[in-house]
Amino acid sequence: MNRRDFTRAFAGLASFTAFAGTAAAEDPRNLRSDAPVGKAKPAAAAVDHSAHQGHAAEASAPAGRYAALATVYADCAARATECITHCQSVLATGDKSLGDCLKTALACQTTCTAVAQLARLNSDFAPALARDTVPVMQACLDTCRPHIEHHAICKACFDACESAIKAAQSI
């Protein structure tokens, strides 16, 4: 086990311990040894959610000034995520031909996720960040281009990056 693996394992254990400790502290039954096990918690007080009706539908499709930008960039992030998984699988076989593609797909996925989130929030920063991500997506396009004839996932990522670039340039 190297230092990085140890650090990850320790961080995971610390997170689990913190979560388990919080859950135990929130349950007053854990403070008494004679408390019955499996006793149901009292029902929470009823809260009027009538003002929120219809928000579930809004969560599935972005609304607002930058809804189209959010959709295009979320799709690009999703295609880049698929590309990342594909590249990792190919690299795991010893084939290093998609190494550069993996690097640019990681950058693309990160930036597209950020733009999509800002666009969903109707942030005034979304258009500027979208325009700033064009070089990242162009790098992804350039790296994917040699692979689009051989890998459908690379073609999907390529097409999504093209769409996102067009969306960024039109805003």
Side-chain angles (χ1 to χ4, degrees):
M1 177 180 269
N2 64 28
R3 188 178 340 163
R4 184 179 295 157
D5 292 336
F6 176 77
T7 304
R8 287 182 183 153
F10 182 77
L13 179 61
S15 297
F16 175 76
T17 304
F19 173 76
T22 302
E26 290 177 356
D27 189 352
R29 293 178 296 170
N30 290 332
L31 301 176
R32 299 187 332 233
S33 61
D34 62 335
V37 177
K39 186 176 179 183
K41 291 184 178 182
V47 178
D48 179 20
H49 290 284
S50 61
H52 307 299
Q53 297 298 329
H55 284 288
E58 290 175 17
S60 62
R65 306 179 279 182
Y66 306 120
L69 195 65
T71 301
V72 170
Y73 270 82
D75 181 58
C76 190
R79 298 298 80 74
T81 300
E82 292 169 357
C83 189
I84 290 164
T85 302
H86 174 69
C87 291
Q88 289 173 332
S89 297
V90 171
L91 287 167
T93 67
D95 181 351
K96 298 182 191 277
S97 65
L98 296 179
D100 288 337
C101 196
L102 175 62
K103 290 176 190 174
T104 57
L106 285 164
C108 183
Q109 189 264 352
T110 302
T111 56
C112 287
T113 300
V115 172
Q117 183 64 28
L118 286 174
R120 280 188 212 103
L121 296 171
N122 289 312
S123 170
D124 292 334
F125 298 109
L129 185 58
R131 287 187 292 273
D132 287 345
T133 64
V134 169
V136 175
M137 289 181 293
Q138 187 61 53
C140 193
L141 281 174
D142 295 342
T143 332
C144 282
R145 193 179 315 278
H147 308 288
I148 61 176
E149 298 296 323
H150 312 290
H151 304 280
I153 291 173
C154 292
K155 174 74 169 125
C157 185
F158 183 90
D159 292 343
C161 282
E162 274 189 326
S163 296
I165 289 171
K166 288 176 186 170
Q169 292 171 338
S170 69
I171 201 160

